[in-house]
Amino acid sequence: MFSSQFPDDNDRANAGSITLTDDKGRTLDCYIEHSLSVDGQEYVLLLPVDSPVEIFAWQGENEEEEAVLVEDDYTLEKIFATAQAVLSEQNLILKNTAYALTVAGELPPVEDSELFTLEIEDDEADLEPEQLQLLASFYDEEQEYAIYTPLDPLLFFARITNTGKPELLSPEEFRKVQPLLEEHLFNEVE
């Protein structure tokens, strides 16, 4: 989304934080990385407090094997306890938070052998491949699953409503204001 110089953990402790809530009532605590006002509207760039994770199901055979992101609530609910138990062996706590699964705890050091590159296919956007670090893998009913965390930070962009609550921008809204926001962020960085 934006490149930014992220503060270290001590700076984040002093920075503001905000909680996002999804339509299911789940919450996600975030640090406020940047706050800016454009035409009287306050916007915030948010970084989750805990590390985001994604769970993939491996499908296919040998060289034809493909990682498919598990997104449906039924499957996530079915495998959640197993994923939680596997991650707890690394002192990580899996959380079903708003907008993304997250883990609390210290992530293991990045090892090249544990990296996975996810090619994102989108006809409308020219997206860069995403680098993910393997945290754990497990089986459920003969299906192999793997839990990864992205190497790049997961950022959310929200507007602050009149009531003071953060509201995520839709992709369409973000595209409309993106040039103005990038200009303001670029000017702040200089």
Side-chain angles (χ1 to χ4, degrees):
M1 194 184 272
F2 297 104
S3 60
S4 172
Q5 193 152 348
F6 295 103
D8 63 26
D9 290 337
N10 292 334
D11 289 341
R12 283 197 181 110
N14 298 328
S17 64
I18 203 162
T19 301
L20 293 173
T21 305
D22 67 8
D23 55 2
K24 294 178 182 174
R26 296 177 299 194
T27 60
L28 178 66
D29 293 330
C30 296
Y31 297 114
I32 299 173
E33 290 295 309
H34 286 286
S35 176
L36 56 117
S37 184
V38 177
D39 297 332
Q41 176 64 60
E42 185 179 357
Y43 295 95
V44 287
L45 183 63
L46 304 172
L47 177 71
V49 170
D50 295 321
S51 302
V53 294
E54 296 172 343
I55 300 178
F56 290 88
W58 285 101
Q59 298 178 345
E61 297 292 322
N62 300 329
E63 274 86 53
E64 300 298 316
E65 215 172 29
E66 180 180 18
V68 177
L69 181 63
V70 177
E71 296 180 284
D72 68 281
D73 289 336
Y74 174 77
T75 304
L76 283 173
E77 194 173 296
K78 186 175 102 140
I79 65 173
F80 191 83
T82 304
Q84 208 169 27
V86 169
L87 288 171
S88 72
E89 293 173 5
Q90 297 181 45
N91 296 321
L92 296 172
I93 301 166
L94 181 62
K95 299 178 180 182
N96 191 0
T97 50
Y99 307 111
L101 293 174
T102 58
V103 292
E106 189 173 331
L107 295 176
V110 177
E111 294 183 27
D112 288 342
S113 63
E114 300 294 319
L115 294 181
F116 170 66
T117 301
L118 179 63
E119 300 288 336
I120 303 168
E121 295 178 18
D122 187 342
D123 295 334
E124 296 176 19
D126 185 26
L127 300 173
E128 294 290 319
E130 185 177 9
Q131 288 271 293
L132 303 166
Q133 174 187 358
L134 178 66
L135 296 178
S137 59
F138 62 95
Y139 282 87
D140 184 77
E141 296 181 7
E142 298 183 21
Q143 172 64 58
E144 182 181 7
Y145 294 95
I147 306 168
Y148 289 90
T149 186
L151 293 185
D152 291 331
L154 175 64
L155 300 171
F156 293 97
F157 207 79
R159 85 170 63 75
I160 303 299
T161 65
N162 294 338
T163 61
K165 294 198 175 243
E167 182 178 277
L168 289 183
L169 295 181
S170 71
E172 297 79 31
E173 291 173 303
F174 180 73
R175 278 192 283 279
K176 286 180 186 175
V177 297
Q178 183 178 4
L180 289 171
L181 300 173
E182 286 177 345
E183 179 182 322
H184 282 276
L185 285 174
F186 182 75
N187 290 340
E188 276 187 19
V189 171
E190 289 184 339

